[in-house]
Amino acid sequence: MNEWITICAIDEIPVLGARRVARAQGLDVALFRTASGEVFALLDRCPHKGGPLSQGLVFGSSVACPLHNWTIALATGQAAAPDEGCTPRFAVRLEGSAVQLRADELAGHALAQTRPLAGPVGLGRCGSAASSCSPSPSTVAA
């Protein structure tokens, strides 16, 4: 039997908006609410470049990624053609006004997905853990 966990009330998700759900491990889950009151749950990561879908624009039954405007179907996580890719989806249900997710999926679904790192990694002193993010002497303009 699957255990369902109450996450929030439906009114805590903005209409045509999203709410992030933090997990103990893995990336956040994004809850989306459509104009008709449907609720969907996807990993908060675009399949293209890892953009935070929770910050995208919800329209119809899709969300537009805030980074490069990819359209992702809320019901399936599938990118709209001509784009290709899919973001993991999570089972979600409404019990009255309570939005619920499955405990087993929150704990173990899509844990291998990561958010891409921005910028160059390991170059100059900025790549080190003790960096003050100052340019290395060889990169300072004369």
Side-chain angles (χ1 to χ4, degrees):
M1 189 163 116
N2 294 322
E3 180 183 354
W4 291 86
I5 298 173
T6 297
I7 302 301
C8 63
I10 191 168
D11 292 339
E12 295 177 61
I13 306 169
V15 175
L16 297 178
R19 176 186 175 130
R20 286 191 332 238
V21 178
R23 304 192 295 166
Q25 294 180 2
L27 296 176
D28 292 349
V29 173
L31 295 174
F32 299 94
R33 184 175 171 195
T34 66
S36 63
E38 292 179 284
V39 177
F40 298 94
L42 297 174
L43 191 69
D44 193 20
R45 183 187 190 283
C46 179
H48 176 225
K49 297 280 185 178
L53 294 175
S54 62
Q55 295 177 27
L57 298 175
V58 176
F59 62 99
S61 59
S62 300
V63 62
C65 178
L67 294 185
H68 300 100
N69 209 31
W70 275 36
T71 298
I72 308 298
L74 294 173
T76 63
Q78 187 66 44
D83 300 323
E84 295 179 358
C86 191
T87 193
R89 60 188 174 110
F90 290 75
V92 61
R93 75 176 185 185
L94 289 174
E95 280 293 316
S97 65
V99 178
Q100 298 181 330
L101 295 174
R102 285 187 18 197
D104 62 331
E105 287 189 350
L106 283 174
H109 186 48
L111 295 179
Q113 299 277 336
T114 60
R115 186 128 7 249
L117 296 174
V121 177
L123 300 175
R125 290 185 291 177
C126 289
S128 68
S131 169
S132 63
C133 282
S134 59
S136 62
S138 63
T139 61
V140 175

